[in-house]
Amino acid sequence: MYFFLKYLALSDLCYTSTVTPKLVTDLLAVINTISYTSCMTQLFAMHFFGGIEIFLLTAMAYDRYVAICKPLHYTVIMSRPRCNAMVIACCAGAFLHSFLMFLLTINLPFCGPNEIDHYFCDVYPLLKLACIDTYRVGILVVANSGTMGLVAFVILMLSYFLILYTIRAYPAESRGKALSTCSSHIAVVVLFFVPVLFIYIRPTVTFPEDKVFALFYTIIAPMFNPLIYTLRNREMKSVLRKVWCQKPFLIGRQIF
């Protein structure tokens, strides 16, 4: 689990870095502009790191399924070479997804006024600015982003259904431990996938609420990932408790 968590933390850092700095700059600036090259770069990077996050969450769900449903075979099935191969496959799949989204958008003609009704460059707001009929392009976007998110979400739910089916015969203590292990991952999945599916599973249409939903999977979910995972960890809670208890003592020694 920690092997995948470190890559998830890295992807979260890169993912939010494609959106948050520009958002903060626009909030402080009087005139909010972005060049065409920067817009296309932001589009590619956002879908690349977002795709990595989706595939990593799926790989982590499979890791939890093997750990709980096949514990005696865990070290054989989830060997280090296989884990490395899964991370490489996550990056390759995310690059393919992002490259296809980039190709669908970069060839669109924009006649103006080129004003994006969003806080970052995404596919649907850009399709709204195109001078041609974008119905077919929108269908391809749904087939790419929407299908990828839906398939990953179904696999995740299937893995947790199998986990719940397996632990039904466990003793209460073991069942509680298994559920505690998975609860943090389920929270992250719901916080990330529900807004993604709301935006990308429908046809080419934009709503004012899209910006609010986009905040969840671009900023809020990556920001809460470390907090959700670390506070569910017994060792991390023990360390935080020790630091918190020692703080008044250290302050008292410094004052004295």
Side-chain angles (χ1 to χ4, degrees):
M1 183 178 67
Y2 296 108
F3 175 83
F4 291 109
L5 274 178
K6 67 180 181 181
Y7 288 104
L8 181 67
L10 180 61
S11 68
D12 284 337
L13 178 63
C14 298
Y15 187 38
T16 54
S17 297
T18 62
V19 176
T20 307
K22 179 61 179 172
L23 174 61
V24 174
T25 304
D26 290 341
L27 291 174
L28 298 176
V30 178
I31 301 177
N32 305 325
T33 60
I34 185 171
S35 66
Y36 178 78
T37 302
S38 299
C39 184
M40 293 297 107
T41 303
Q42 187 183 57
L43 173 71
F44 179 85
M46 193 204 70
H47 281 276
F48 175 64
F49 293 113
I52 291 178
E53 181 134 349
I54 288 176
F55 291 129
L56 278 177
L57 289 174
T58 308
M60 292 172 67
Y62 177 73
D63 174 72
R64 293 299 87 204
Y65 162 75
V66 176
I68 294 174
C69 299
K70 300 182 179 180
L72 298 179
H73 300 89
Y74 178 78
T75 55
V76 177
I77 297 175
M78 299 302 295
S79 61
R80 184 53 59 91
R82 181 165 296 182
C83 290
N84 290 328
M86 291 174 69
V87 171
I88 294 173
C90 291
C91 296
F95 179 82
L96 179 61
H97 158 71
S98 182
F99 185 69
L100 291 175
M101 299 293 284
F102 179 76
L103 286 181
L104 291 174
T105 310
I106 197 171
N107 294 320
L108 294 175
F110 300 104
C111 306
N114 297 328
E115 184 175 344
I116 303 174
D117 186 21
H118 216 299
Y119 63 90
F120 65 93
C121 289
D122 202 4
V123 179
Y124 283 165
L126 291 175
L127 291 181
K128 191 177 180 181
L129 302 180
C131 303
I132 60 173
D133 183 15
T134 59
Y135 177 77
R136 293 182 178 179
V137 179
I139 295 298
L140 293 176
V141 171
V142 173
N144 186 3
S145 294
T147 303
M148 184 185 74
L150 182 61
V151 171
F153 185 72
V154 169
I155 293 174
L156 286 163
M157 293 298 101
L158 180 61
S159 67
Y160 287 117
F161 174 78
L162 294 174
I163 288 174
L164 293 175
Y165 181 79
T166 302
I167 66 175
R168 76 191 191 285
Y170 283 16
E173 183 179 354
S174 300
R175 187 165 57 247
K177 184 177 180 181
L179 291 174
S180 177
T181 303
C182 297
S183 60
S184 57
H185 193 249
I186 294 175
V188 171
V189 166
V190 172
L191 195 63
F192 184 83
F193 274 91
V194 171
V196 167
L197 293 177
F198 174 80
I199 291 179
Y200 291 107
I201 203 65
R202 65 173 191 255
T204 309
V205 60
T206 57
F207 298 113
E209 296 81 7
D210 287 352
K211 293 186 284 291
V212 178
F213 280 93
L215 282 173
F216 280 91
Y217 65 84
T218 57
I219 297 177
I220 297 177
M223 180 180 66
F224 276 103
N225 276 355
L227 185 64
I228 292 173
Y229 279 112
T230 54
L231 291 184
R232 296 297 303 177
N233 183 274
R234 183 179 301 175
E235 291 82 2
M236 182 63 69
K237 287 191 291 186
S238 176
V239 171
L240 290 176
R241 193 178 296 111
K242 290 180 181 179
V243 172
W244 183 260
C245 293
Q246 290 178 358
K247 188 175 180 180
F249 175 73
L250 293 175
I251 293 175
R253 288 291 299 272
Q254 291 173 356
I255 293 175
F256 179 77

